[in-house]
mmCIF file with all atom_site columns, all heavy atoms in Angstrom:
data_model
loop_
_atom_site.group_PDB
_atom_site.id
_atom_site.type_symbol
_atom_site.label_atom_id
_atom_site.label_alt_id
_atom_site.label_comp_id
_atom_site.label_asym_id
_atom_site.label_entity_id
_atom_site.label_seq_id
_atom_site.pdbx_PDB_ins_code
_atom_site.Cartn_x
_atom_site.Cartn_y
_atom_site.Cartn_z
_atom_site.occupancy
_atom_site.B_iso_or_equiv
_atom_site.pdbx_formal_charge
_atom_site.auth_seq_id
_atom_site.auth_comp_id
_atom_site.auth_asym_id
_atom_site.auth_atom_id
_atom_site.pdbx_PDB_model_num
ATOM 1   N N   . GLU A 1 356 ? 91.870 19.956 9.449  1.00 96.00 ? 356 GLU A N   1
ATOM 2   C CA  . GLU A 1 356 ? 92.347 21.210 10.204 1.00 96.00 ? 356 GLU A CA  1
ATOM 3   C C   . GLU A 1 356 ? 91.538 22.379 9.814  1.00 96.00 ? 356 GLU A C   1
ATOM 4   O O   . GLU A 1 356 ? 90.845 22.409 8.749  1.00 96.00 ? 356 GLU A O   1
ATOM 5   C CB  . GLU A 1 356 ? 93.824 21.504 9.855  1.00 96.00 ? 356 GLU A CB  1
ATOM 6   C CG  . GLU A 1 356 ? 94.808 20.429 10.314 1.00 96.00 ? 356 GLU A CG  1
ATOM 7   C CD  . GLU A 1 356 ? 96.301 20.804 10.009 1.00 96.00 ? 356 GLU A CD  1
ATOM 8   O OE1 . GLU A 1 356 ? 96.493 21.948 9.468  1.00 96.00 ? 356 GLU A OE1 1
ATOM 9   O OE2 . GLU A 1 356 ? 97.169 19.990 10.391 1.00 96.00 ? 356 GLU A OE2 1
ATOM 10  N N   . GLU A 1 357 ? 91.502 23.393 10.713 1.00 96.00 ? 357 GLU A N   1
ATOM 11  C CA  . GLU A 1 357 ? 90.883 24.670 10.382 1.00 96.00 ? 357 GLU A CA  1
ATOM 12  C C   . GLU A 1 357 ? 91.751 25.422 9.363  1.00 96.00 ? 357 GLU A C   1
ATOM 13  O O   . GLU A 1 357 ? 92.904 25.565 9.661  1.00 96.00 ? 357 GLU A O   1
ATOM 14  C CB  . GLU A 1 357 ? 90.581 25.478 11.639 1.00 96.00 ? 357 GLU A CB  1
ATOM 15  C CG  . GLU A 1 357 ? 90.009 26.790 11.327 1.00 96.00 ? 357 GLU A CG  1
ATOM 16  C CD  . GLU A 1 357 ? 89.610 27.615 12.536 1.00 96.00 ? 357 GLU A CD  1
ATOM 17  O OE1 . GLU A 1 357 ? 90.325 27.557 13.571 1.00 96.00 ? 357 GLU A OE1 1
ATOM 18  O OE2 . GLU A 1 357 ? 88.616 28.272 12.567 1.00 96.00 ? 357 GLU A OE2 1
ATOM 19  N N   . THR A 1 358 ? 91.260 25.838 8.316  1.00 97.00 ? 358 THR A N   1
ATOM 20  C CA  . THR A 1 358 ? 91.945 26.632 7.293  1.00 97.00 ? 358 THR A CA  1
ATOM 21  C C   . THR A 1 358 ? 91.512 28.064 7.492  1.00 97.00 ? 358 THR A C   1
ATOM 22  O O   . THR A 1 358 ? 90.310 28.382 7.231  1.00 97.00 ? 358 THR A O   1
ATOM 23  C CB  . THR A 1 358 ? 91.716 26.133 5.910  1.00 97.00 ? 358 THR A CB  1
ATOM 24  O OG1 . THR A 1 358 ? 90.321 26.024 5.633  1.00 97.00 ? 358 THR A OG1 1
ATOM 25  C CG2 . THR A 1 358 ? 92.376 24.785 5.677  1.00 97.00 ? 358 THR A CG2 1
ATOM 26  N N   . PHE A 1 359 ? 92.387 28.937 7.877  1.00 96.00 ? 359 PHE A N   1
ATOM 27  C CA  . PHE A 1 359 ? 92.001 30.295 8.164  1.00 96.00 ? 359 PHE A CA  1
ATOM 28  C C   . PHE A 1 359 ? 92.481 31.230 7.081  1.00 96.00 ? 359 PHE A C   1
ATOM 29  O O   . PHE A 1 359 ? 93.519 31.804 7.084  1.00 96.00 ? 359 PHE A O   1
ATOM 30  C CB  . PHE A 1 359 ? 92.662 30.694 9.561  1.00 96.00 ? 359 PHE A CB  1
ATOM 31  C CG  . PHE A 1 359 ? 91.759 31.527 10.341 1.00 96.00 ? 359 PHE A CG  1
ATOM 32  C CD1 . PHE A 1 359 ? 90.571 30.962 10.898 1.00 96.00 ? 359 PHE A CD1 1
ATOM 33  C CD2 . PHE A 1 359 ? 91.997 32.876 10.716 1.00 96.00 ? 359 PHE A CD2 1
ATOM 34  C CE1 . PHE A 1 359 ? 89.743 31.709 11.739 1.00 96.00 ? 359 PHE A CE1 1
ATOM 35  C CE2 . PHE A 1 359 ? 91.159 33.598 11.560 1.00 96.00 ? 359 PHE A CE2 1
ATOM 36  C CZ  . PHE A 1 359 ? 89.993 33.040 12.040 1.00 96.00 ? 359 PHE A CZ  1
ATOM 37  N N   . GLY A 1 360 ? 91.665 31.293 6.063  1.00 97.00 ? 360 GLY A N   1
ATOM 38  C CA  . GLY A 1 360 ? 91.916 32.129 4.822  1.00 97.00 ? 360 GLY A CA  1
ATOM 39  C C   . GLY A 1 360 ? 91.039 31.697 3.708  1.00 97.00 ? 360 GLY A C   1
ATOM 40  O O   . GLY A 1 360 ? 90.189 30.772 3.842  1.00 97.00 ? 360 GLY A O   1
ATOM 41  N N   . PRO A 1 361 ? 91.239 32.238 2.497  1.00 98.00 ? 361 PRO A N   1
ATOM 42  C CA  . PRO A 1 361 ? 90.262 32.085 1.441  1.00 98.00 ? 361 PRO A CA  1
ATOM 43  C C   . PRO A 1 361 ? 90.394 30.825 0.664  1.00 98.00 ? 361 PRO A C   1
ATOM 44  O O   . PRO A 1 361 ? 90.696 30.779 -0.542 1.00 98.00 ? 361 PRO A O   1
ATOM 45  C CB  . PRO A 1 361 ? 90.554 33.306 0.513  1.00 98.00 ? 361 PRO A CB  1
ATOM 46  C CG  . PRO A 1 361 ? 91.968 33.637 0.727  1.00 98.00 ? 361 PRO A CG  1
ATOM 47  C CD  . PRO A 1 361 ? 92.305 33.220 2.160  1.00 98.00 ? 361 PRO A CD  1
ATOM 48  N N   . LEU A 1 362 ? 90.324 29.683 1.342  1.00 98.00 ? 362 LEU A N   1
ATOM 49  C CA  . LEU A 1 362 ? 90.471 28.388 0.761  1.00 98.00 ? 362 LEU A CA  1
ATOM 50  C C   . LEU A 1 362 ? 89.208 27.582 0.950  1.00 98.00 ? 362 LEU A C   1
ATOM 51  O O   . LEU A 1 362 ? 88.816 27.239 2.047  1.00 98.00 ? 362 LEU A O   1
ATOM 52  C CB  . LEU A 1 362 ? 91.692 27.603 1.374  1.00 98.00 ? 362 LEU A CB  1
ATOM 53  C CG  . LEU A 1 362 ? 91.773 26.163 0.988  1.00 98.00 ? 362 LEU A CG  1
ATOM 54  C CD1 . LEU A 1 362 ? 92.060 25.950 -0.467 1.00 98.00 ? 362 LEU A CD1 1
ATOM 55  C CD2 . LEU A 1 362 ? 92.957 25.463 1.843  1.00 98.00 ? 362 LEU A CD2 1
ATOM 56  N N   . ALA A 1 363 ? 88.510 27.283 -0.170 1.00 98.00 ? 363 ALA A N   1
ATOM 57  C CA  . ALA A 1 363 ? 87.182 26.531 -0.068 1.00 98.00 ? 363 ALA A CA  1
ATOM 58  C C   . ALA A 1 363 ? 87.452 25.044 -0.534 1.00 98.00 ? 363 ALA A C   1
ATOM 59  O O   . ALA A 1 363 ? 88.293 24.890 -1.418 1.00 98.00 ? 363 ALA A O   1
ATOM 60  C CB  . ALA A 1 363 ? 86.162 27.209 -0.983 1.00 98.00 ? 363 ALA A CB  1
ATOM 61  N N   . THR A 1 364 ? 86.813 24.186 0.141  1.00 98.00 ? 364 THR A N   1
ATOM 62  C CA  . THR A 1 364 ? 87.063 22.691 -0.095 1.00 98.00 ? 364 THR A CA  1
ATOM 63  C C   . THR A 1 364 ? 85.773 22.041 -0.401 1.00 98.00 ? 364 THR A C   1
ATOM 64  O O   . THR A 1 364 ? 84.813 22.146 0.401  1.00 98.00 ? 364 THR A O   1
ATOM 65  C CB  . THR A 1 364 ? 87.576 22.222 1.290  1.00 98.00 ? 364 THR A CB  1
ATOM 66  O OG1 . THR A 1 364 ? 88.782 22.851 1.625  1.00 98.00 ? 364 THR A OG1 1
ATOM 67  C CG2 . THR A 1 364 ? 87.841 20.710 1.285  1.00 98.00 ? 364 THR A CG2 1
ATOM 68  N N   . ILE A 1 365 ? 85.755 21.277 -1.511 1.00 98.00 ? 365 ILE A N   1
ATOM 69  C CA  . ILE A 1 365 ? 84.506 20.539 -1.790 1.00 98.00 ? 365 ILE A CA  1
ATOM 70  C C   . ILE A 1 365 ? 84.694 19.068 -1.522 1.00 98.00 ? 365 ILE A C   1
ATOM 71  O O   . ILE A 1 365 ? 85.736 18.531 -1.886 1.00 98.00 ? 365 ILE A O   1
ATOM 72  C CB  . ILE A 1 365 ? 84.151 20.713 -3.341 1.00 98.00 ? 365 ILE A CB  1
ATOM 73  C CG1 . ILE A 1 365 ? 83.709 22.162 -3.624 1.00 98.00 ? 365 ILE A CG1 1
ATOM 74  C CG2 . ILE A 1 365 ? 82.984 19.789 -3.731 1.00 98.00 ? 365 ILE A CG2 1
ATOM 75  C CD1 . ILE A 1 365 ? 83.352 22.506 -5.100 1.00 98.00 ? 365 ILE A CD1 1
ATOM 76  N N   . ILE A 1 366 ? 83.737 18.467 -0.843 1.00 98.00 ? 366 ILE A N   1
ATOM 77  C CA  . ILE A 1 366 ? 83.658 17.101 -0.449 1.00 98.00 ? 366 ILE A CA  1
ATOM 78  C C   . ILE A 1 366 ? 82.365 16.539 -1.117 1.00 98.00 ? 366 ILE A C   1
ATOM 79  O O   . ILE A 1 366 ? 81.270 17.089 -0.939 1.00 98.00 ? 366 ILE A O   1
ATOM 80  C CB  . ILE A 1 366 ? 83.682 16.879 1.050  1.00 98.00 ? 366 ILE A CB  1
ATOM 81  C CG1 . ILE A 1 366 ? 84.925 17.476 1.635  1.00 98.00 ? 366 ILE A CG1 1
ATOM 82  C CG2 . ILE A 1 366 ? 83.592 15.405 1.413  1.00 98.00 ? 366 ILE A CG2 1
ATOM 83  C CD1 . ILE A 1 366 ? 84.630 18.701 2.572  1.00 98.00 ? 366 ILE A CD1 1
ATOM 84  N N   . ARG A 1 367 ? 82.484 15.433 -1.814 1.00 98.00 ? 367 ARG A N   1
ATOM 85  C CA  . ARG A 1 367 ? 81.300 14.871 -2.484 1.00 98.00 ? 367 ARG A CA  1
ATOM 86  C C   . ARG A 1 367 ? 80.774 13.764 -1.639 1.00 98.00 ? 367 ARG A C   1
ATOM 87  O O   . ARG A 1 367 ? 81.451 12.844 -1.194 1.00 98.00 ? 367 ARG A O   1
ATOM 88  C CB  . ARG A 1 367 ? 81.686 14.408 -3.887 1.00 98.00 ? 367 ARG A CB  1
ATOM 89  C CG  . ARG A 1 367 ? 82.043 15.628 -4.806 1.00 98.00 ? 367 ARG A CG  1
ATOM 90  C CD  . ARG A 1 367 ? 82.781 15.197 -6.069 1.00 98.00 ? 367 ARG A CD  1
ATOM 91  N NE  . ARG A 1 367 ? 83.120 16.418 -6.897 1.00 98.00 ? 367 ARG A NE  1
ATOM 92  C CZ  . ARG A 1 367 ? 82.530 16.673 -8.039 1.00 98.00 ? 367 ARG A CZ  1
ATOM 93  N NH1 . ARG A 1 367 ? 81.664 15.906 -8.570 1.00 98.00 ? 367 ARG A NH1 1
ATOM 94  N NH2 . ARG A 1 367 ? 82.884 17.797 -8.736 1.00 98.00 ? 367 ARG A NH2 1
ATOM 95  N N   . ALA A 1 368 ? 79.406 13.851 -1.416 1.00 98.00 ? 368 ALA A N   1
ATOM 96  C CA  . ALA A 1 368 ? 78.686 12.846 -0.631 1.00 98.00 ? 368 ALA A CA  1
ATOM 97  C C   . ALA A 1 368 ? 77.725 12.075 -1.448 1.00 98.00 ? 368 ALA A C   1
ATOM 98  O O   . ALA A 1 368 ? 77.173 12.554 -2.450 1.00 98.00 ? 368 ALA A O   1
ATOM 99  C CB  . ALA A 1 368 ? 77.958 13.564 0.470  1.00 98.00 ? 368 ALA A CB  1
ATOM 100 N N   . LYS A 1 369 ? 77.473 10.843 -1.105 1.00 98.00 ? 369 LYS A N   1
ATOM 101 C CA  . LYS A 1 369 ? 76.563 9.878  -1.884 1.00 98.00 ? 369 LYS A CA  1
ATOM 102 C C   . LYS A 1 369 ? 75.145 10.463 -1.765 1.00 98.00 ? 369 LYS A C   1
ATOM 103 O O   . LYS A 1 369 ? 74.458 10.495 -2.735 1.00 98.00 ? 369 LYS A O   1
ATOM 104 C CB  . LYS A 1 369 ? 76.572 8.529  -1.238 1.00 98.00 ? 369 LYS A CB  1
ATOM 105 C CG  . LYS A 1 369 ? 77.895 7.777  -1.482 1.00 98.00 ? 369 LYS A CG  1
ATOM 106 C CD  . LYS A 1 369 ? 77.761 6.343  -1.042 1.00 98.00 ? 369 LYS A CD  1
ATOM 107 C CE  . LYS A 1 369 ? 79.005 5.646  -0.779 1.00 98.00 ? 369 LYS A CE  1
ATOM 108 N NZ  . LYS A 1 369 ? 79.754 6.177  0.429  1.00 98.00 ? 369 LYS A NZ  1
ATOM 109 N N   . ASP A 1 370 ? 74.663 10.762 -0.551 1.00 97.00 ? 370 ASP A N   1
ATOM 110 C CA  . ASP A 1 370 ? 73.257 11.174 -0.364 1.00 97.00 ? 370 ASP A CA  1
ATOM 111 C C   . ASP A 1 370 ? 73.226 12.023 0.949  1.00 97.00 ? 370 ASP A C   1
ATOM 112 O O   . ASP A 1 370 ? 74.236 12.268 1.569  1.00 97.00 ? 370 ASP A O   1
ATOM 113 C CB  . ASP A 1 370 ? 72.336 9.996  -0.283 1.00 97.00 ? 370 ASP A CB  1
ATOM 114 C CG  . ASP A 1 370 ? 72.779 9.001  0.773  1.00 97.00 ? 370 ASP A CG  1
ATOM 115 O OD1 . ASP A 1 370 ? 73.438 9.393  1.768  1.00 97.00 ? 370 ASP A OD1 1
ATOM 116 O OD2 . ASP A 1 370 ? 72.499 7.751  0.640  1.00 97.00 ? 370 ASP A OD2 1
ATOM 117 N N   . GLU A 1 371 ? 72.002 12.384 1.351  1.00 96.00 ? 371 GLU A N   1
ATOM 118 C CA  . GLU A 1 371 ? 71.871 13.258 2.527  1.00 96.00 ? 371 GLU A CA  1
ATOM 119 C C   . GLU A 1 371 ? 72.385 12.619 3.819  1.00 96.00 ? 371 GLU A C   1
ATOM 120 O O   . GLU A 1 371 ? 73.068 13.254 4.592  1.00 96.00 ? 371 GLU A O   1
ATOM 121 C CB  . GLU A 1 371 ? 70.461 13.684 2.682  1.00 96.00 ? 371 GLU A CB  1
ATOM 122 C CG  . GLU A 1 371 ? 69.437 12.609 3.032  1.00 96.00 ? 371 GLU A CG  1
ATOM 123 C CD  . GLU A 1 371 ? 67.974 13.053 3.026  1.00 96.00 ? 371 GLU A CD  1
ATOM 124 O OE1 . GLU A 1 371 ? 67.561 13.723 2.118  1.00 96.00 ? 371 GLU A OE1 1
ATOM 125 O OE2 . GLU A 1 371 ? 67.274 12.720 3.987  1.00 96.00 ? 371 GLU A OE2 1
ATOM 126 N N   . ASN A 1 372 ? 72.185 11.307 4.024  1.00 97.00 ? 372 ASN A N   1
ATOM 127 C CA  . ASN A 1 372 ? 72.645 10.681 5.314  1.00 97.00 ? 372 ASN A CA  1
ATOM 128 C C   . ASN A 1 372 ? 74.256 10.659 5.220  1.00 97.00 ? 372 ASN A C   1
ATOM 129 O O   . ASN A 1 372 ? 74.834 10.851 6.280  1.00 97.00 ? 372 ASN A O   1
ATOM 130 C CB  . ASN A 1 372 ? 72.121 9.223  5.318  1.00 97.00 ? 372 ASN A CB  1
ATOM 131 C CG  . ASN A 1 372 ? 70.633 9.245  5.622  1.00 97.00 ? 372 ASN A CG  1
ATOM 132 O OD1 . ASN A 1 372 ? 70.078 10.129 6.301  1.00 97.00 ? 372 ASN A OD1 1
ATOM 133 N ND2 . ASN A 1 372 ? 69.949 8.227  5.127  1.00 97.00 ? 372 ASN A ND2 1
ATOM 134 N N   . ASP A 1 373 ? 74.831 10.382 4.106  1.00 98.00 ? 373 ASP A N   1
ATOM 135 C CA  . ASP A 1 373 ? 76.272 10.444 3.975  1.00 98.00 ? 373 ASP A CA  1
ATOM 136 C C   . ASP A 1 373 ? 76.744 11.895 4.195  1.00 98.00 ? 373 ASP A C   1
ATOM 137 O O   . ASP A 1 373 ? 77.801 12.034 4.978  1.00 98.00 ? 373 ASP A O   1
ATOM 138 C CB  . ASP A 1 373 ? 76.641 9.945  2.538  1.00 98.00 ? 373 ASP A CB  1
ATOM 139 C CG  . ASP A 1 373 ? 78.224 9.736  2.435  1.00 98.00 ? 373 ASP A CG  1
ATOM 140 O OD1 . ASP A 1 373 ? 78.816 9.363  3.426  1.00 98.00 ? 373 ASP A OD1 1
ATOM 141 O OD2 . ASP A 1 373 ? 78.698 9.984  1.334  1.00 98.00 ? 373 ASP A OD2 1
ATOM 142 N N   . ALA A 1 374 ? 76.074 12.824 3.769  1.00 98.00 ? 374 ALA A N   1
ATOM 143 C CA  . ALA A 1 374 ? 76.446 14.269 3.967  1.00 98.00 ? 374 ALA A CA  1
ATOM 144 C C   . ALA A 1 374 ? 76.463 14.688 5.394  1.00 98.00 ? 374 ALA A C   1
ATOM 145 O O   . ALA A 1 374 ? 77.452 15.256 5.896  1.00 98.00 ? 374 ALA A O   1
ATOM 146 C CB  . ALA A 1 374 ? 75.537 15.148 3.169  1.00 98.00 ? 374 ALA A CB  1
ATOM 147 N N   . ILE A 1 375 ? 75.400 14.183 6.126  1.00 98.00 ? 375 ILE A N   1
ATOM 148 C CA  . ILE A 1 375 ? 75.405 14.472 7.582  1.00 98.00 ? 375 ILE A CA  1
ATOM 149 C C   . ILE A 1 375 ? 76.471 13.745 8.349  1.00 98.00 ? 375 ILE A C   1
ATOM 150 O O   . ILE A 1 375 ? 77.134 14.304 9.224  1.00 98.00 ? 375 ILE A O   1
ATOM 151 C CB  . ILE A 1 375 ? 73.973 14.081 8.213  1.00 98.00 ? 375 ILE A CB  1
ATOM 152 C CG1 . ILE A 1 375 ? 72.774 14.884 7.446  1.00 98.00 ? 375 ILE A CG1 1
ATOM 153 C CG2 . ILE A 1 375 ? 73.941 14.290 9.655  1.00 98.00 ? 375 ILE A CG2 1
ATOM 154 C CD1 . ILE A 1 375 ? 72.739 16.280 7.701  1.00 98.00 ? 375 ILE A CD1 1
ATOM 155 N N   . ALA A 1 376 ? 76.740 12.485 7.912  1.00 98.00 ? 376 ALA A N   1
ATOM 156 C CA  . ALA A 1 376 ? 77.807 11.753 8.553  1.00 98.00 ? 376 ALA A CA  1
ATOM 157 C C   . ALA A 1 376 ? 79.145 12.338 8.347  1.00 98.00 ? 376 ALA A C   1
ATOM 158 O O   . ALA A 1 376 ? 79.998 12.407 9.292  1.00 98.00 ? 376 ALA A O   1
ATOM 159 C CB  . ALA A 1 376 ? 77.792 10.282 8.000  1.00 98.00 ? 376 ALA A CB  1
ATOM 160 N N   . ILE A 1 377 ? 79.382 12.897 7.115  1.00 98.00 ? 377 ILE A N   1
ATOM 161 C CA  . ILE A 1 377 ? 80.703 13.537 6.796  1.00 98.00 ? 377 ILE A CA  1
ATOM 162 C C   . ILE A 1 377 ? 80.794 14.837 7.632  1.00 98.00 ? 377 ILE A C   1
ATOM 163 O O   . ILE A 1 377 ? 81.871 15.151 8.244  1.00 98.00 ? 377 ILE A O   1
ATOM 164 C CB  . ILE A 1 377 ? 80.845 13.889 5.310  1.00 98.00 ? 377 ILE A CB  1
ATOM 165 C CG1 . ILE A 1 377 ? 80.927 12.597 4.513  1.00 98.00 ? 377 ILE A CG1 1
ATOM 166 C CG2 . ILE A 1 377 ? 81.981 14.791 5.001  1.00 98.00 ? 377 ILE A CG2 1
ATOM 167 C CD1 . ILE A 1 377 ? 80.758 12.739 3.005  1.00 98.00 ? 377 ILE A CD1 1
ATOM 168 N N   . ALA A 1 378 ? 79.713 15.633 7.733  1.00 98.00 ? 378 ALA A N   1
ATOM 169 C CA  . ALA A 1 378 ? 79.710 16.876 8.519  1.00 98.00 ? 378 ALA A CA  1
ATOM 170 C C   . ALA A 1 378 ? 80.041 16.605 9.944  1.00 98.00 ? 378 ALA A C   1
ATOM 171 O O   . ALA A 1 378 ? 80.820 17.354 10.588 1.00 98.00 ? 378 ALA A O   1
ATOM 172 C CB  . ALA A 1 378 ? 78.305 17.516 8.379  1.00 98.00 ? 378 ALA A CB  1
ATOM 173 N N   . ASN A 1 379 ? 79.429 15.557 10.559 1.00 98.00 ? 379 ASN A N   1
ATOM 174 C CA  . ASN A 1 379 ? 79.656 15.191 11.955 1.00 98.00 ? 379 ASN A CA  1
ATOM 175 C C   . ASN A 1 379 ? 81.022 14.539 12.234 1.00 98.00 ? 379 ASN A C   1
ATOM 176 O O   . ASN A 1 379 ? 81.395 14.475 13.443 1.00 98.00 ? 379 ASN A O   1
ATOM 177 C CB  . ASN A 1 379 ? 78.518 14.263 12.439 1.00 98.00 ? 379 ASN A CB  1
ATOM 178 C CG  . ASN A 1 379 ? 77.225 15.002 12.607 1.00 98.00 ? 379 ASN A CG  1
ATOM 179 O OD1 . ASN A 1 379 ? 77.164 16.280 12.573 1.00 98.00 ? 379 ASN A OD1 1
ATOM 180 N ND2 . ASN A 1 379 ? 76.100 14.259 12.632 1.00 98.00 ? 379 ASN A ND2 1
#
Side-chain angles (χ1 to χ4, degrees):
E356 293 184 1
E357 178 173 34
T358 52
F359 221 65
L362 170 62
T364 300
I365 294 178
I366 300 112
R367 292 165 181 248
K369 292 188 202 64
D370 52 29
E371 66 188 45
N372 290 330
D373 188 33
I375 301 292
I377 292 167
N379 289 343

